[in-house]
């Protein structure tokens, strides 16, 4: 009998079909809300999605390569070297094949990547929550009797996040989440070379690719030292495959960072100088804590401060619940690094919800809870949140927008 971990791609895709259809519906709702809201304000929804904020920087990399920078009156230097290259490379490739503009090519990449990310999230949740006694039911297509229902809910919860509209923008979050989710699935199923390769590509997408590298390394090394049900077994894979996966995983991030250091003439730490020009850094959360504390100096802003405290508390609580529910160690390591880099960075504070988006394992406890009631009850709850998320996304992009 075929094992759940070795299912062919067509079977995986057929099991994920309900999740992907639901995801597409949520994203379509968000786009319709954005189009209507933007038209009412005489703005272009297309421009908001493809040619604003970070999207412009990715387009410039695709069009002009690296070397473009903006010098601000206060002396800060915003260099496009801060943006990792995989998304611009893909924009250039799609543009060359289709003759689309780089901005529109970015939307194509983001759309396909978001669907791939949704599929990967389903695959991870399905694998984690599928019980051994239900394997035969899974192979016969009765996905609701296994982790399939949790997988569908996980994908829909990810889709209805308040900042979910970013999944439809020419940003790198969807691309990174797709690579991270499938890298984690490869780790959980013992496909070490694939895991290392996907981790390398994730490292070419965003600095937080380090989280995927950490997950691969922990998964490869931990079974040699501990025996814990949260650590996936190596599935009989030869040691050289695990070693090769570990070697491949950091190639993308390390390669780009070293190249930037060489390009700037500042050695291995050159990328940190580039980020410093954007006022980005890692201070252990000190700047963010001060930002939250400052909100309590007046009554109106104190409400926002309470919201921030509740939001951070919710993130920590979901992580603790994941630990208690026995999530596999690679997922916990990956999520922990993503959360730490997001909350403890001194960058623009409004970006933190967006930076937390790839931490999808945080949503698995919520998905598990939604998978237990009747389908109509879960569908009603998710539908209501989807509408609220669509309206918020339209309001957000027509206002301050994603930093």
């Amino acid at each position: 009998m075929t094992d759940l971990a070795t299912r062919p791609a067509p079977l995986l895709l057929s099991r994920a079909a309900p999740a992907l259809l639901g995801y597409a519906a949520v994203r379509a709702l968000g786009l319709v809300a954005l189009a209507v809201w933007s038209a009412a304000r005489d703005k272009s929804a297309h421009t908001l999605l493809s040619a604003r904020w970070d999207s412009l920087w990715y387009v410039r990399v695709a069009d002009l390569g690296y070397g473009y920078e903006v010098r601000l009156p206060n002396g800060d230097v915003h260099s496009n070297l801060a943006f990792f290259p995989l998304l611009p490379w893909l924009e250039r490739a799609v543009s060359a094949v289709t003759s689309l503009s780089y901005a529109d090519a970015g939307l194509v990449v983001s759309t396909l990547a978001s669907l791939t990310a949704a599929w990967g999230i389903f695959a991870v949740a399905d694998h984690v929550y599928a019980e051994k006694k239900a394997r035969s039911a899974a192979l016969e297509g009765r996905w609701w009797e296994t982790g399939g229902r949790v997988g569908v809910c996980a994908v829909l919860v990810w889709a209805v996040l308040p900042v979910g509209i970013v999944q439809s923008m020419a940003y790198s979050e969807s691309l990174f989440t797709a690579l991270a989710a499938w890298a984690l699935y490869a780790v959980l199923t013992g496909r070490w070379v694939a895991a290392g390769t996907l981790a390398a590509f994730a490292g070419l997408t965003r600095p937080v690719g380090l989280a995927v590298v950490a997950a691969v390394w922990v998964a490869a090394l931990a079974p040699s030292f501990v025996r814990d049900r949260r650590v996936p077994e190596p599935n009989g894979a030869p040691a050289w495959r695990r070693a090769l996966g570990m070697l491949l995983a950091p190639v993308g991030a390390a390669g780009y960072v070293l190249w930037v250091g060489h390009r700037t003439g500042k050695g291995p730490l050159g990328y940190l100088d580039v980020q410093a020009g954007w006022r980005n850094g890692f201070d252990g959360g000190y700047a963010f804590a001060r930002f939250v504390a400052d909100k309590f100096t007046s009554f109106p802003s104190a409400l926002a401060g309470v919201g921030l405290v509740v939001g951070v508390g919710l993130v920590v609580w979901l992580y603790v619940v994941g630990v208690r529910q026995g999530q596999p160690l690679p997922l916990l390591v990956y999520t922990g690094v993503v959360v730490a880099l997001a909350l403890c960075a001194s960058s623009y504070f409004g970006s933190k919800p967006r930076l937390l988006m790839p931490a999808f394992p945080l949503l698995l406890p919520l998905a598990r809870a939604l998978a237990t009631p009747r389908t109509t009850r879960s569908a009603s709850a998710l539908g209501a949140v989807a509408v609220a998320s669509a309206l918020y996304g339209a309001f957000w992009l027509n206002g301050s927008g994603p930093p």
Side-chain angles (χ1 to χ4, degrees):
M1 181 178 292
T2 305
D3 189 88
L4 282 172
T6 59
R7 287 175 301 202
L11 181 56
L12 270 176
L13 182 57
S14 66
R15 284 174 55 77
L20 297 181
L21 290 173
Y23 178 80
V26 173
R27 291 273 43 84
L29 176 64
L31 294 175
V32 169
L34 176 64
V36 173
W37 197 299
S38 300
R41 299 197 60 181
D42 198 25
K43 290 186 177 181
S44 168
H46 176 265
T47 300
L48 292 174
L49 292 171
S50 65
R52 293 289 303 275
W53 305 288
D54 288 4
S55 301
L56 287 174
W57 287 90
Y58 286 118
V59 166
R60 290 190 185 107
V61 174
D63 186 22
L64 305 173
Y66 285 105
Y68 178 86
E69 63 183 29
V70 175
R71 294 184 178 271
L72 304 183
N74 64 358
D76 290 344
V77 178
H78 288 183
S79 169
N80 67 356
L81 288 169
F83 295 88
F84 277 48
L86 185 57
L87 178 57
W89 286 349
L90 292 175
E91 288 177 341
R92 185 178 297 177
V94 171
S95 178
V97 172
T98 63
S99 298
L100 292 171
S101 67
Y102 292 128
D104 288 339
L107 289 180
V108 171
V109 172
S110 180
T111 298
L112 296 177
S114 67
L115 288 169
T116 306
W119 186 14
I121 292 171
F122 173 87
V124 170
D126 185 27
H127 179 83
V128 169
Y129 289 99
E131 301 292 341
K132 290 183 179 180
K133 63 182 180 180
R135 291 178 186 271
S136 59
L139 292 171
E140 294 170 8
R142 302 197 304 274
W143 57 270
W144 57 88
E145 295 182 19
T146 67
R149 185 164 177 167
V150 180
V152 172
C153 291
V155 169
L156 294 179
V157 172
W158 189 68
V160 302
L161 288 174
V163 293
I165 190 64
V166 174
Q167 298 163 15
S168 298
M169 297 180 67
Y171 269 45
S172 61
E173 273 74 16
S174 290
L175 178 60
F176 175 79
T177 304
L179 292 166
W182 283 106
L184 291 171
Y185 180 76
V187 165
L188 295 174
T189 56
R191 297 172 170 89
W192 300 102
V193 177
T197 302
L198 290 166
F201 281 115
L204 283 171
T205 308
R206 298 186 62 81
V208 76
L210 294 173
V212 189
V213 176
V216 173
W217 276 58
V218 165
L221 292 174
S224 301
F225 301 101
V226 299
R227 286 293 175 264
D228 189 321
R229 67 189 180 91
R230 292 175 296 172
V231 181
E233 293 295 328
N235 294 336
W240 70 265
R241 286 186 176 272
R242 279 192 285 168
L244 181 56
M246 292 177 63
L247 289 174
L248 288 171
V251 166
Y256 181 69
V257 168
L258 292 174
W259 179 81
V260 170
H262 175 74
R263 169 87 179 231
T264 59
K266 297 183 179 180
L269 300 181
Y271 184 76
L272 297 181
D273 288 339
V274 171
Q275 287 284 6
W278 286 80
R279 298 289 178 107
N280 289 337
F282 187 88
D283 63 0
Y286 175 74
F288 183 47
R290 287 192 58 184
F291 173 77
V292 175
D294 289 344
K295 292 294 183 181
F296 291 93
T297 57
S298 63
F299 172 72
S301 62
L303 297 177
V306 171
L308 289 170
V309 171
V310 171
V312 172
L314 177 62
V315 169
V316 174
W317 177 73
L318 288 173
Y319 187 80
V320 171
V321 173
V323 173
R324 290 178 175 174
Q325 289 184 352
Q327 280 189 17
L329 187 59
L331 297 189
L332 296 176
V333 170
Y334 166 78
T335 306
V337 175
V338 172
V339 170
L341 291 177
L343 296 183
C344 297
S346 59
S347 57
Y348 181 64
F349 304 115
S351 66
K352 294 194 182 295
R354 173 172 65 87
L355 297 179
L356 285 168
M357 187 184 298
F360 68 89
L362 286 174
L363 306 176
L364 296 185
L366 294 177
R368 186 178 181 182
L370 285 169
T372 53
R374 287 186 174 183
T375 303
T376 53
R377 190 179 305 171
S378 298
S380 299
L382 287 168
V385 176
V387 171
S389 176
L391 294 175
Y392 177 75
F395 165 78
W396 191 40
L397 285 198
N398 278 276
S400 61

